């Protein structure tokens, strides 16, 4: 993906430092410049810049995979295939829980408990594997200012009283849930685009967006000419980025929708 940091695609640290002084940090920043501009900021020859452009371009391009290769890779993957919801009937219906490596939509009318469910999933993601958790962090993008830290703690204590029997464990879980309030489509998309590095640095195991539908409804009146096209364009780009993150890092990505 074009939002990958240059240091993740094989560019030397020295060159990354030089480029960052010119606000060139991601593959997209790099590929938007002409060879002559890159020669100026890197100090490399035309041939050196050309080879660098090829390397960065290849790192961004989707790799061709065969069906056999995908199946073999998944069979060899030791990461969990599902994050259990701990609700036996729901886990049975989902054949194991919320799937890792894919985008899951949580649907239902307003007030049915979608946000409460997402907060419970946030708690589950922080639990150790022997309790069905992923022992990682969570990125929770809140577009409706509906997230409640107090409610998350209540859910943790009521659902897993034997585990959350000390202040230290509650504190540990609360420090692993990173909440971002993004109230516009533009801000939501910017946040999604920046998640790749955050997933790596913070060991994020679950991404939740609660919810994309709310910002879309506020900003796109489908009765106005051209709005439907822009709305679909935003949703398609957001979904594509989220699916990439889910597959790249084998994590569940959940989006409540109405």
């Amino acid at each position: 993906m074009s939002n990958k940091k240059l240091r993740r695609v094989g560019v030397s640290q020295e060159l990354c430092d030089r480029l960052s002084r010119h606000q060139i940090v991601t593959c997209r920043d790099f590929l938007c410049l002409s060879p002559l501009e890159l020669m100026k900021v890197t100090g490399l020859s035309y041939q050196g810049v050309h080879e660098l452009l090829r390397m960065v371009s290849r790192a961004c391009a989707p790799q061709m995979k065969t069906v056999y290769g995908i199946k073999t890779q998944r069979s060899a993957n030791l990461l969990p295939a599902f994050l259990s919801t701990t609700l036996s009937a729901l886990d049975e219906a989902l054949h194991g829980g919320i799937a890792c490596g894919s985008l899951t939509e949580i649907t239902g009318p307003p007030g049915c408990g979608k946000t409460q469910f997402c907060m419970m999933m946030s708690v589950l993601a922080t639990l150790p594997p022997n309790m069905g958790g992923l022992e990682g962090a969570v990125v929770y993008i809140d577009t409706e200012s509906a997230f409640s830290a107090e409610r998350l703690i209540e859910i943790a204590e009521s659902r897993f009283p034997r585990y959350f029997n000390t202040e230290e464990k509650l504190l540990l879980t609360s420090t692993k849930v990173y909440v971002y309030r993004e109230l516009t489509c533009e801000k939501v998309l910017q946040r999604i685009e920046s998640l790749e590095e955050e997933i790596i640095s913070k060991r994020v195991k679950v991404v939740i967006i609660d919810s994309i539908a709310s910002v879309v409804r506020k900003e796109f009146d489908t009765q106005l000419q051209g709005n439907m096209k822009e709305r679909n364009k935003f949703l398609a780009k957001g979904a594509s980025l989220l699916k990439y993150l889910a597959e790249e890092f084998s994590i569940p990505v959940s989006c409540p929708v109405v």
Side-chain angles (χ1 to χ4, degrees):
M1 294 291 285
S2 62
N3 290 303
K4 280 185 179 178
K5 297 290 177 68
L6 288 169
R7 60 183 173 81
R8 287 194 62 214
V9 301
V11 179
S12 69
Q13 187 60 53
E14 181 184 355
L15 189 52
C16 285
D17 292 340
R18 193 183 309 169
L19 290 166
S20 67
R21 290 196 286 270
H22 298 273
Q23 287 74 53
I24 304 168
V25 178
T26 67
C27 293
R28 177 185 295 174
D29 300 333
F30 187 86
L31 294 173
C32 284
L33 298 177
S34 69
L36 290 177
E37 289 172 317
L38 289 172
M39 288 172 64
K40 182 178 179 180
V41 297
T42 62
L44 297 175
S45 65
Y46 180 82
Q47 183 62 31
V49 165
H50 182 66
E51 291 175 0
L52 204 55
L53 279 167
R54 288 181 61 187
M55 181 181 74
V56 175
S57 298
R58 285 176 178 172
C60 292
Q63 300 297 309
M64 185 278 293
K65 295 180 181 179
T66 65
V67 173
Y68 177 77
I70 293 171
K71 186 177 184 300
T72 302
Q73 182 180 8
R74 288 182 177 175
S75 298
N77 194 345
L78 299 177
L79 296 173
F82 298 95
L83 173 59
S84 169
T85 67
T86 69
L87 304 172
S88 56
L90 183 56
D91 281 343
E92 183 179 352
L94 296 174
H95 303 286
I98 303 296
C100 297
S102 66
L103 177 59
T104 301
E105 289 186 348
I106 302 168
T107 64
C112 73
K114 298 186 296 295
T115 294
Q116 304 300 308
F117 180 78
C118 286
M119 286 194 280
M120 185 182 74
M121 296 303 294
S122 298
V123 173
L124 289 168
T126 69
L127 293 177
N130 62 359
M131 294 187 64
L134 300 176
E135 203 169 32
V138 178
V139 165
Y140 197 113
I141 301 174
D142 178 16
T143 68
E144 298 180 301
S145 298
F147 183 90
S148 167
E150 292 77 12
R151 181 58 183 148
L152 183 135
I153 296 299
E154 288 177 1
I155 291 172
E157 290 179 311
S158 62
R159 289 288 297 169
F160 307 98
R162 292 185 179 180
Y163 180 76
F164 291 106
N165 54 7
T166 65
E167 287 293 327
E168 288 78 11
K169 288 181 178 178
L170 286 169
L171 179 62
L172 181 61
T173 286
S174 64
T175 58
K176 288 183 176 181
V177 181
Y178 298 89
V179 182
Y180 298 99
R181 285 194 168 88
E182 309 294 3
L183 306 179
T184 67
C185 289
E186 181 182 4
K187 290 295 185 181
V188 168
L189 202 55
Q190 287 176 357
R191 179 60 62 187
I192 294 172
E193 289 175 336
S194 71
L195 284 183
E196 187 167 8
E197 286 296 310
E198 193 161 2
I199 289 171
I200 296 169
S201 63
K202 295 177 178 175
R203 294 187 66 251
V204 171
K205 297 298 183 181
V206 170
V207 173
I208 295 170
I209 303 181
D210 186 15
S211 69
I212 284 184
S214 65
V215 289
V216 168
R217 284 196 302 270
K218 285 187 291 186
E219 294 191 29
F220 294 104
D221 183 350
T222 55
Q223 301 301 314
L224 298 177
Q225 188 175 6
N227 264 15
M228 181 63 78
K229 180 180 178 181
E230 290 302 312
R231 171 183 176 274
N232 291 341
K233 182 179 177 181
F234 166 77
L235 289 172
K237 185 173 183 180
S240 176
L241 288 168
L242 291 171
K243 287 174 70 177
Y244 163 76
L245 293 172
E247 292 173 2
E248 179 74 7
F249 298 102
S250 295
I251 61 174
V253 176
S254 299
C255 301
V257 295
V258 178

